[in-house]
Amino acid sequence: RASHCDVDDIDTSLCTFDEWGFANCTAAGCASIQGEEEEACWNVYRSIVDSSFWTLTNLFGEFPLVDQHSAWGQVLGTFTAVFAVAVFALPVGVISSGFEDQIANRREKEEEGSSGAVGGGGIDEDGGAGDYVADGSTLRGVLYNFLHNQRTSSARHFELFVDALIIGCVLAFMFDTVADEKSHTLLGCFQFFSFVVFAIEFFLRMYSAGENPMYKDRGVMTYASSFLNIVDMVAIFPYFVGLALTPGTGPGAFLLFKIFHFEKYSKAFTTFDDVLRENMGVLAVTGFSAMLLWILFASMLYYTERDSLDEEMAMYYKTIPDAMWITLLNLSGECPLAHYSSIGKVIVGIISLFATAVFGVPIGILGAGFEELVTSEYEDSPDEDANVDPALDGPSFRSVQTACYQFVNGIGSKAATAFELSIYFLIGATVSIGVLQTVPGYEDTFSAVETFAIVIFTIEYTIRFIGAGADPEFANGSNGFMARVKYIFSFYSIIDLMAIVPFYVALYMPNSWIDQHDEYLRMARLFRLLKLDKYVPSISLVDDVLRLKKKVLVVASYAAVTLWILFTAAMFEVEKNDDEIEIDPLPLYGCFEDCSMSDRYNNYFNSIPLTGIHLTGDFPLIEYGARGRVILFFAVIAAVGVVSIPSGVIASGFAEIVQTRNKTKGATEKDAGAVAGDDWYDINYRKLEGQPPPPSIFGPRMDALQIKAKEYLDGRVDETTGLVSRTQFSSIGRLLFFSLIITNVAAIILESIPEIDRHVGNASGNFFDVFEAFSVFFFTADYLLRLFSAGKSREALYSPWVYSRTFFGLVDLVSILPWYIQVALTSTGHVISGDEAKIFRIFRIFRVLQLEDFIVAFTKLDNVFRASKDVLKATGLMAIIIWVGTSALFFIFEANNPNFRECDGSIPLTGTEDEPGCYDFESTLACNEFYPDMCSQAFFTHMPNTMFYVAVFLGGEWGVVDFTWQGKFVCMFLCIAGIALYSIPVGTLFDAFGAIVGLCEEEEEDEGEEVEESPLVEYN
């Protein structure tokens, strides 16, 4: 960042940092003003205090600086996106879950105190027409039977004709946005013809509805007020008015509302009526609370950010209505802007930690209520054979075939098991090598390993081919020849061939097309990950999931697709002429300078993925006008919860099938007192219940000293009451230990601030060094005492060696060991400075983990991981396959996307045939060949870089959106299903966490019995 310089004109690679962490960008053209103490330039990660805000946003799945991280920053960002986000989401999930539980309890009490069924009272959309047959002797009766009852084949054919016209209108509107003048006229004629049919059908339905006796008293207006008829009026009358007032594609957009006509088949949106009525009281309370939070935080951020030095921040907070737009996104879990003032960062941190959980409750109620009603009404059951594995006992086969089949599947011998494990290892190794070889300069790294792996995979394929005659999947009912033919065309065989064949073709045909495109064909190696599905079923279960949830998916998908189509049309209409805010060049879309949102929304098809991203709850684009913001407000409030239901159904179905299979395969009896996540430690701890500690080999005096040390550290436990008592000396020691942990963390944070670090200095004997030495002395004494007393500690299984391997033992060691290493290096004459000194400083921050002695956290997470390990195997493999697979696709499709290309300022954006411009080249490599080292790609430069961005995408954060058309298809796949499938492991961890810490109710509870908690919880 820079205070008085134009950031775009600064070459940050020329900036340097002194030993305190101050930036000097004089060489880059941004020198400090003489006489001013304020830095001209500074790093936003200049201290732990500054870094904490950015890290907080990352831990909530937001990466506002996604395109500005270094290589190691991207590595840490990938780790954060893949693992840390899942753990950090637990507190917010607990708050939201608790809030919803309280609301549910209140609603149950209200329902118990009221009589009558909940819901109901609505008017049937067809008004009971299907049960009434009109007199066919009158014209109105004939029309009634034809349009309302539809029992004749001609009536049903007419209904199909209307359905086809509706789909045609949707497609006509889409293609009209990219059509030439002639096609525009033809599509307009089709839309007008459809309008005439819709209008005639509507008025005849209104006219004939009076034939039904139930409307003779209540009037035809009652029938006209039903949902589907209101939708017809919204589609027909505005179109008619629009023909005269709005030329172009405007009127055609209204006909899209006819898509609600399919509601008569699915009853999806009418479910909202039941959801709203059932939750009206709750929605009123939570909605009002959410609105108060929205207004409150928007007003606070308006006052803190309206005078920001950052022009973008000041623009979006210049008025309270402007501030409400960004605050709405903050409350929905987004952080599109990040350069806040210090107070603003605190406010946004509070929003992230607490307010988002409360604000999301009404949206969650709508989505969850809709899903609950749809699921209960259209509950599916799995196919009977969905989980049936093929039997191994088949007809008699020749011994060679059987031996090959068993060997390659790890059956029957240690050699077979070793071979199977070696395949696991080689798959992981070759996938990693394939990723590494996309990095410039590493194209041929570990090529020998790749060649060796190809040979092994070829041998494996040959053995599988021979053994196919004994494989029940292919051999039942077939001879050996047909079994092998079936195997060749099977899913796994094709995957194997895709990973093997290109290597041999490139080897024996050096100048072939395959050899010339070796860079992209190397990505075929990544398909080897799918081979692991043989051993840990994951992707192959998707078919079972679709069959298990097919009815619910049809209804939920109709609702989601309908909203997607309508919101896309609305965003296209309001943004196609939006030229207010300038954005970066979009050469792929035909805009090279002075670009705006109208270039992104220049046709309906380009609008689809952008709207889809917003409907997943992410807002990487915020440069919208007032009308666009209003539409997206309704997208946040209503549509996001509904659109996410299909992906949620897929995710829940997948988890259900995996858990069912694992319960069937792994059902074993647990010993008394066992809890989820138990391992060898928990089992051995329970075995020691009631057993006294073993005597020391050094005699009773040593026993007494060990007991005294144990009581000093952990207090004395009353065996009858279980209460812990401490001596005054023990209490003081524990208080000092707690205080030292807190002050050490505070010292580490303060030392990272350049101004404080420079003031204290680095001279020998400075305050931080003295305090560090005192702290290490105390922590060392505590660690040695724990080792000494471990022989009398049941929590250490009466063993110092066990203590040293527990979480607490490792944390205690890591908190002191780096200091001793640093002292040893210094005593040998080694000068520790720069990055080495930073590394030792970083290790000190691990002392915060010693707070586990006082507040249990990570020891619970260990049990959580072990309790959900079976489901995590399958879901984790699927998540890796989706992550690596979509990364490969993005790398192939986007590596040369001109929207992400950057060139030296001396190169024109577009040029002539003799002097081409930056965007005229098909690839960045071709640009660099013409202009050496003057062209670069900002994103998707190689697979490690791409995997970082895709890890962020899979967390629901789209830092980049201007893809090629192929990349847009990948983007839409992730929006529809990929993100949900990828997030299943996170949901599994949350469920396991709730079960272990008691957030969820136990299905079976033994009265009068208490399950003994994991000893790690009570340790210390």
Side-chain angles (χ1 to χ4, degrees):
R1 304 294 296 170
S3 58
H4 61 268
C5 305
D6 188 347
V7 177
D8 295 332
D9 295 334
I10 301 175
D11 184 359
T12 55
S13 63
L14 300 177
C15 297
T16 59
F17 294 90
D18 62 19
E19 59 180 320
W20 316 109
F22 289 102
N24 184 348
C25 292
T26 303
C30 185
S32 300
I33 300 177
Q34 190 172 4
E36 292 190 7
E37 295 184 1
E38 183 182 1
E39 295 174 85
C41 299
W42 66 93
N43 192 319
V44 294
Y45 286 89
R46 67 198 296 268
S47 69
I48 293 178
V49 176
D50 291 317
S51 302
S52 61
F53 171 74
W54 303 102
T55 306
L56 178 66
T57 61
N58 296 159
L59 288 169
F60 276 100
E62 293 297 301
F63 289 81
L65 303 180
V66 67
D67 59 336
Q68 300 178 38
H69 292 292
S70 65
W72 281 110
Q74 291 182 359
V75 172
L76 291 175
T78 302
F79 174 82
T80 301
V82 175
F83 300 106
V85 168
V87 177
F88 203 78
L90 293 175
V92 178
V94 169
I95 295 173
S96 181
S97 177
F99 196 82
E100 290 178 355
D101 287 343
Q102 292 298 319
I103 291 173
N105 293 335
R106 180 184 298 181
R107 191 175 70 183
E108 288 178 4
K109 292 179 181 178
E110 292 175 353
E111 291 175 354
E112 290 173 359
S114 61
S115 59
V118 178
I123 300 174
D124 190 6
E125 290 302 329
D126 60 8
D131 299 326
Y132 176 75
V133 179
D135 182 6
S137 62
T138 65
L139 175 62
R140 191 165 73 167
V142 172
L143 290 173
Y144 183 89
N145 291 332
F146 183 79
L147 295 173
H148 293 268
N149 282 330
Q150 298 178 343
R151 294 183 177 180
T152 64
S153 60
S154 58
R156 288 193 292 269
H157 288 152
F158 178 75
E159 180 70 8
L160 293 175
F161 173 68
V162 172
D163 293 345
L165 285 181
I166 294 172
I167 296 174
C169 284
V170 173
L171 296 176
F173 177 80
M174 294 180 182
F175 285 102
D176 194 27
T177 62
V178 294
D180 55 23
E181 190 64 30
K182 182 178 179 180
S183 300
H184 172 72
T185 303
L186 292 175
L187 292 171
C189 291
F190 173 79
Q191 289 176 324
F192 179 76
F193 170 75
S194 301
F195 158 73
V196 172
V197 174
F198 296 153
I200 294 174
E201 187 259 354
F202 173 75
F203 286 114
L204 290 179
R205 257 192 302 112
M206 291 294 104
Y207 166 71
S208 60
E211 189 72 12
N212 192 323
M214 70 179 296
Y215 293 118
K216 289 183 178 180
D217 297 330
R218 296 194 291 172
V220 178
M221 291 305 298
T222 303
Y223 172 74
S225 64
S226 65
F227 174 75
L228 293 180
N229 290 319
I230 291 175
V231 167
D232 283 345
M233 288 186 279
V234 171
I236 293 171
F237 290 110
Y239 179 85
F240 178 75
V241 175
L243 285 177
L245 301 180
T246 312
T249 58
F254 292 107
L255 293 180
L256 294 179
F257 284 100
K258 283 292 291 183
I259 198 172
F260 283 109
H261 177 80
F262 296 103
E263 173 72 8
K264 66 190 300 181
Y265 306 117
S266 67
K267 304 295 182 184
F269 286 98
T270 48
T271 304
F272 273 121
D273 180 58
D274 296 329
V275 174
L276 290 172
R277 279 186 282 108
E278 287 183 11
N279 299 280
M280 187 61 69
V282 175
L283 286 173
V285 174
T286 58
F288 181 71
S289 301
M291 182 170 290
L292 287 181
L293 287 174
W294 185 20
I295 297 173
L296 173 64
F297 284 112
S299 302
M300 295 171 66
L301 288 171
Y302 160 71
Y303 282 108
T304 62
E305 307 304 322
R306 60 181 178 175
D307 297 322
S308 174
L309 295 177
D310 189 298
E311 294 181 1
E312 185 180 28
M313 295 291 297
M315 179 180 68
Y316 283 105
Y317 287 98
K318 61 184 177 183
T319 65
I320 289 182
D322 286 312
M324 290 180 69
W325 161 239
I326 301 299
T327 307
L328 173 69
L329 303 184
N330 293 152
L331 287 167
S332 66
E334 292 299 299
C335 193
L337 302 177
H339 295 292
Y340 290 95
S341 62
S342 298
I343 300 177
K345 289 179 179 178
V346 173
I347 295 172
V348 173
I350 294 173
I351 290 175
S352 301
L353 289 170
F354 304 106
T356 50
V358 179
F359 188 82
V361 169
I363 301 173
I365 289 174
L366 287 175
F370 181 84
E371 183 176 2
E372 180 181 350
L373 287 177
V374 170
T375 303
S376 61
E377 185 172 353
Y378 298 96
E379 188 172 1
D380 289 289
S381 58
D383 296 343
E384 293 182 0
D385 60 342
N387 295 324
V388 177
D389 291 324
L392 292 178
D393 55 338
S396 177
F397 297 100
R398 287 180 296 182
S399 59
V400 174
Q401 292 177 328
T402 303
C404 288
Y405 170 76
Q406 292 180 343
F407 178 79
V408 84
N409 287 283
I411 302 172
S413 67
K414 293 182 178 180
T417 303
F419 182 79
E420 188 178 40
L421 292 175
S422 68
I423 294 297
Y424 290 167
F425 174 78
L426 281 177
I427 290 173
T430 54
V431 168
S432 301
I433 291 171
V435 170
L436 177 64
Q437 289 182 342
T438 63
V439 180
Y442 293 88
E443 291 85 354
D444 297 320
T445 303
F446 299 117
S447 294
V449 176
E450 171 66 19
T451 303
F452 173 76
I454 288 290
V455 173
I456 298 298
F457 290 145
T458 304
I459 294 173
E460 183 214 14
Y461 184 84
T462 304
I463 297 175
R464 286 192 182 278
F465 177 78
I466 297 172
D471 190 333
E473 185 177 354
F474 309 111
N476 287 341
S478 304
N479 56 36
F481 174 78
M482 290 307 300
R484 293 181 180 87
V485 172
K486 290 179 182 179
Y487 169 72
I488 290 174
F489 292 99
S490 67
F491 173 77
Y492 294 117
S493 172
I494 294 173
I495 293 301
D496 288 341
L497 292 174
M498 290 178 64
I500 295 173
V501 172
F503 174 85
Y504 290 108
V505 174
L507 180 65
Y508 292 104
M509 302 175 65
N511 297 319
S512 64
W513 181 89
I514 290 181
D515 188 38
Q516 295 172 2
H517 294 80
D518 179 63
E519 178 183 1
Y520 297 111
L521 290 173
R522 287 181 183 183
M523 295 297 99
R525 303 172 189 173
L526 304 183
F527 284 110
R528 292 170 188 163
L529 277 175
L530 296 174
K531 287 164 62 72
L532 295 176
D533 192 77
K534 300 175 187 175
Y535 313 105
V536 184
S538 55
I539 294 294
S540 58
L541 297 181
V542 172
D543 177 63
D544 294 339
V545 173
L546 295 178
R547 286 187 279 114
L548 175 67
K549 299 289 184 180
K550 58 185 175 183
K551 294 180 181 178
V552 178
L553 279 174
V554 169
V555 177
S557 297
Y558 161 70
V561 171
T562 299
L563 288 175
W564 196 350
I565 290 173
L566 293 177
F567 273 100
T568 299
M571 290 303 298
F572 165 70
E573 288 293 338
V574 301
E575 293 298 325
K576 64 182 180 181
N577 296 316
D578 183 2
D579 299 322
E580 293 182 12
I581 302 177
E582 185 176 342
I583 61 176
D584 294 333
L586 300 171
L588 193 64
Y589 304 160
C591 181
F592 302 99
E593 53 187 352
D594 299 329
C595 303
S596 63
M597 293 299 283
S598 61
D599 296 295
R600 283 195 174 110
Y601 287 87
N602 58 359
N603 62 62
Y604 188 92
F605 294 102
N606 283 339
S607 306
I608 291 175
L610 299 178
T611 309
I613 288 173
H614 292 328
L615 289 174
T616 64
D618 191 56
F619 290 83
L621 307 177
I622 59 174
E623 304 92 345
Y624 292 106
R627 294 187 299 168
R629 294 179 183 183
V630 171
I631 292 172
L632 291 175
F633 166 78
F634 288 104
V636 170
I637 298 301
V640 168
V642 177
V643 171
S644 64
I645 289 175
S647 57
V649 170
I650 294 173
S652 64
F654 194 97
E656 181 180 336
I657 287 179
V658 173
Q659 289 170 349
T660 301
R661 289 195 171 195
N662 284 323
K663 285 180 181 178
T664 303
K665 294 179 180 179
T668 56
E669 294 185 1
K670 294 182 178 180
D671 61 287
V675 295
D678 281 355
D679 68 348
W680 66 271
Y681 178 88
D682 304 280
I683 295 171
N684 284 289
Y685 180 85
R686 282 192 295 273
K687 290 180 179 179
L688 294 176
E689 183 177 4
Q691 296 186 20
S696 172
I697 61 174
F698 298 103
R701 180 172 294 183
M702 183 63 69
D703 290 331
L705 289 175
Q706 287 179 319
I707 292 174
K708 286 184 178 180
K710 176 73 169 63
E711 291 178 351
Y712 164 76
L713 293 170
D714 303 324
R716 177 180 296 175
V717 181
D718 190 318
E719 295 182 359
T720 58
T721 63
L723 297 177
V724 178
S725 60
R726 292 180 177 274
T727 64
Q728 185 176 8
F729 183 63
S730 173
S731 298
I732 293 174
R734 185 166 175 80
L735 178 61
L736 178 61
F737 185 76
F738 178 81
S739 302
L740 269 181
I741 295 173
I742 299 299
T743 52
N744 263 264
V745 173
I748 294 166
I749 293 174
L750 292 174
E751 192 178 8
S752 72
I753 301 175
E755 290 83 357
I756 295 177
D757 193 22
R758 182 170 60 182
H759 178 75
V760 174
N762 285 334
S764 178
N766 66 72
F767 169 77
F768 287 123
D769 288 347
V770 173
F771 179 71
E772 171 71 5
F774 170 76
S775 301
V776 169
F777 172 78
F778 188 87
F779 291 142
T780 302
D782 181 85
Y783 179 68
L784 294 176
L785 277 177
R786 292 196 180 280
L787 281 174
F788 175 71
S789 64
K792 297 298 180 285
S793 173
R794 181 186 167 197
E795 289 79 10
L797 305 186
Y798 303 135
S799 168
W801 171 241
V802 171
Y803 162 72
S804 67
R805 292 185 294 151
T806 63
F807 176 84
F808 297 100
L810 294 174
V811 167
D812 290 343
L813 180 62
V814 170
S815 68
I816 60 175
L817 188 60
W819 186 84
Y820 287 105
I821 295 175
Q822 185 176 5
V823 170
L825 291 174
T826 304
S827 63
T828 60
H830 183 81
V831 178
I832 299 177
S833 61
D835 291 338
E836 290 181 342
K838 292 179 181 178
I839 291 173
F840 284 105
R841 288 181 180 179
I842 290 172
F843 270 106
R844 297 177 190 173
I845 202 67
F846 282 99
R847 289 174 188 168
V848 73
L849 296 176
Q850 291 182 300
L851 289 175
E852 185 83 7
D853 290 342
F854 303 89
I855 303 174
V856 176
F858 285 93
T859 49
K860 281 289 188 184
L861 290 179
D862 178 60
N863 284 30
V864 168
F865 278 105
R866 283 188 273 110
S868 53
K869 62 181 180 181
D870 290 331
V871 179
L872 284 177
K873 286 180 182 178
T875 58
L877 174 60
M878 183 179 60
I880 291 173
I881 290 173
I882 292 174
W883 179 27
V884 176
T886 53
S887 295
L889 293 176
F890 271 120
F891 173 65
I892 292 171
F893 298 146
E894 305 300 323
N896 293 303
N897 187 340
N899 287 342
F900 308 141
R901 188 176 302 160
E902 298 175 351
C903 297
D904 186 81
S906 61
I907 302 176
L909 299 180
T910 59
T912 62
E913 184 175 350
D914 295 331
E915 188 179 358
C918 179
Y919 301 136
D920 294 331
F921 296 95
E922 292 187 0
S923 68
T924 306
L925 178 63
C927 182
N928 275 318
E929 289 177 352
F930 196 91
Y931 299 105
D933 299 325
M934 300 176 71
C935 310
S936 62
Q937 202 73 6
F939 306 102
F940 310 110
T941 53
H942 46 70
M943 273 296 292
N945 168 272
T946 304
M947 290 178 69
F948 164 66
Y949 290 115
V950 175
V952 174
F953 297 163
L954 288 168
E957 170 67 8
W958 292 88
V960 184
V961 295
D962 298 312
F963 303 117
T964 61
W965 67 266
Q966 300 99 321
K968 289 178 180 178
F969 277 108
V970 182
C971 168
M972 288 189 287
F973 162 75
L974 293 183
C975 291
I976 294 170
I979 292 175
L981 294 174
Y982 181 82
S983 64
I984 294 176
V986 178
T988 302
L989 288 176
F990 185 81
D991 291 341
F993 184 83
I996 287 178
V997 301
L999 292 176
C1000 305
E1001 295 181 358
E1002 298 290 342
E1003 295 180 0
E1004 297 181 359
E1005 197 173 77
D1006 297 330
E1007 295 183 2
E1009 292 186 7
E1010 291 185 1
V1011 177
E1012 187 172 7
E1013 200 172 44
S1014 172
L1016 290 178
V1017 177
E1018 298 297 331
Y1019 191 71
N1020 288 325

